[in-house]
Amino acid sequence: MKSALEFLVAAKRCEIHGLDQLGVTSQLVGSIGQLVHLLQKERGASNIFLGSAGARFEEQRQRRAVESAEVEAVVRARFDELETDSGRLSGGVRLFSRIAYVLHGLDALPELRARIAELALSPAQATAAFTELIAGLLAVVFEAADTASDPVISRALVALFNFMQGKELAGQERATGATAFAAGRADVALQQRQLHLIEAQDRCFQIFSDFTEGDILAYWRTVEACGELAELERLRRVLCTAPAGGRLDPELSDVWYDCSTRRIDGMKAVEDKLAASLQFLCATKSAEALADLNDQRAFLNSLASGVPTPAASIAVFFDKPINGDASQALIAADGFGPQLERSILDMVQAQSRRLQAVSDELNAVRGALNERKVIERAKGLLMAHKGLTEDQAYKLLRQTAMSQNRRLVEVAEATLALADFLPGSRSGRAS
């Protein structure tokens, strides 16, 4: 008959298995960050190549494609390291579905590059294709954060995801601004897009700041205080305050692109620090859990043998409760001598308190992820039923929240609650 301590050991083994999988996932996230960064560069080079009808950036585009393909192979290998057979990975359904989608996108990359080389796509079409793939890769990181079972690691993943998302939005801003300046004329739609991207970046970097601290946060503030951001702010004002149809200096396109690129490269250094910190956390947590497991095994081996009879176990269970503490009654039922009961009970209670604290903190950490899910679902609902773009849907939610003095997530929840009453819903069609 297995004792309480044996089940504690089993629980610790499960914890170690989960941490080991988180270690693999953290390495995957780091590799995804590298691939996203290179795809962002390839997207930019391809945009300029297509925009110039093949006259510029051909060599840079080809070099970026080779670099992306090399890291793509690493990411695919990381996918293979994930445990897909046992079905024990928490949140595996969502994570593996995201990965399947990304693999379809990666399989389509050679054809995308061939069409770009043939000038068979517009800059907007090529940019949209790269952006869709990058969004899929970031969704894998999001699901990895949502499946983390350790609150410290979950916090690190939330910080990293939001930073990567902010960096991707900065890349989209780079492309949008370069297009606007190159056109030589202010376009209202591009200006609105630019403002949305700036605000969305700020939101991502704020969440990142809320979930990180210490040297990495200090380093990020140093990066943000550099001259690139000041120059970028000046160019943002030029672009966003120009009157509709007003003239823009096309020569500023390269200045904008170079300034944005230097800022994004600075972000990549922060991202690398976040990824390295995440992997260190996973290794440290695994080592701590393994040490605890070895201690518990040693303690188990030191216990005297002997199992009480069922009658004795029942008598001890009912006759020796302490303040209704079920965990102590359980220990007593295992039949250990009085000199061991206290130490085993301490282990059970310490484990119980730790798991409760972990659960509470994990719920708090996941609040940020759950809010994002609700807002994204509300945006999708508005896009589907009102024919809005993503930017317009978000703007509508934000303006409603401001006018009603409510949090954005509260407005998103209210929007989802009204889903059945929107045009095109089941109830709407039935009526």
Side-chain angles (χ1 to χ4, degrees), residues 165-368:
Q165 181 69 60
K167 177 170 167 286
E168 163 59 7
L169 293 167
Q172 293 181 30
E173 183 193 6
R174 174 177 60 185
T176 302
T179 300
F181 279 117
R185 190 173 297 277
D187 179 271
V188 174
L190 285 177
Q191 289 174 320
Q192 290 298 318
R193 173 66 174 163
Q194 199 75 359
L195 290 170
H196 168 74
L197 290 170
I198 292 169
E199 181 183 1
Q201 284 177 68
D202 291 342
R203 188 170 68 254
C204 287
F205 292 137
Q206 182 58 56
I207 296 175
F208 151 74
S209 298
D210 292 341
F211 280 84
T212 194
E213 57 188 13
D215 294 342
I216 295 179
L217 184 57
Y219 185 76
W220 165 240
R221 288 171 177 162
T222 300
V223 170
E224 281 290 84
C226 68
E228 280 75 20
L229 183 59
E231 176 65 8
L232 189 65
E233 290 288 356
R234 184 185 71 82
L235 294 172
R236 282 171 170 174
R237 287 193 296 271
V238 171
L239 175 59
C240 295
T241 60
R247 184 180 180 280
L248 294 172
D249 184 359
E251 296 297 324
L252 290 178
S253 179
D254 286 350
V255 177
W256 167 274
Y257 189 87
D258 291 342
C259 180
S260 299
T261 298
R262 289 194 300 271
R263 178 174 179 245
I264 292 172
D265 288 343
M267 292 178 185
K268 185 61 174 67
V270 178
E271 183 184 301
D272 289 343
K273 289 180 179 293
L274 285 167
S277 175
L278 173 63
Q279 293 179 25
F280 177 78
L281 278 175
C282 289
T284 300
K285 288 283 185 178
S286 292
E288 291 173 352
L290 184 59
D292 287 345
L293 176 62
N294 290 335
D295 289 344
Q296 290 178 357
R297 280 174 170 166
F299 189 46
L300 181 62
N301 292 335
S302 70
L303 294 176
S305 60
V307 179
T309 63
S313 296
I314 293 173
V316 170
F317 185 89
F318 286 107
D319 294 343
K320 198 180 177 183
I322 296 181
N323 298 326
D325 191 331
S327 60
Q328 177 142 354
L330 177 62
I331 292 299
D334 276 328
F336 302 130
Q339 71 276 16
L340 295 175
E341 286 184 17
R342 183 70 255 168
S343 55
I344 299 175
L345 176 59
D346 288 343
M347 294 177 65
V348 174
Q349 291 180 331
Q351 176 81 329
S352 178
R353 288 192 298 269
R354 187 181 69 84
L355 290 176
Q356 185 60 53
V358 164
S359 178
D360 293 344
E361 188 175 354
L362 198 55
N363 288 336
V365 172
R366 284 183 174 163

Side-chain angles (χ1 to χ4, degrees), residues 40-73:
Q40 288 168 337
K41 290 189 173 184
E42 185 179 353
R43 176 179 59 190
S46 299
N47 190 293
I48 295 175
F49 172 77
L50 291 170
S52 65
R56 300 175 60 201
F57 270 60
E58 168 61 2
E59 181 183 348
Q60 293 93 324
R61 183 191 67 81
Q62 291 185 9
R63 183 170 67 252
R64 298 305 184 197
V66 171
E67 293 170 347
S68 297
E70 291 173 351
V71 179
E72 176 192 335

Side-chain angles (χ1 to χ4, degrees), residues 141-176:
V141 178
F142 178 87
E143 296 300 345
D146 201 27
T147 58
S149 57
D150 182 275
V152 176
I153 294 174
S154 183
R155 286 183 66 88
L157 278 165
V158 170
L160 179 56
F161 165 75
N162 279 280
F163 193 86
M164 292 174 69
Q165 181 69 60
K167 177 170 167 286
E168 163 59 7
L169 293 167
Q172 293 181 30
E173 183 193 6
R174 174 177 60 185
T176 302

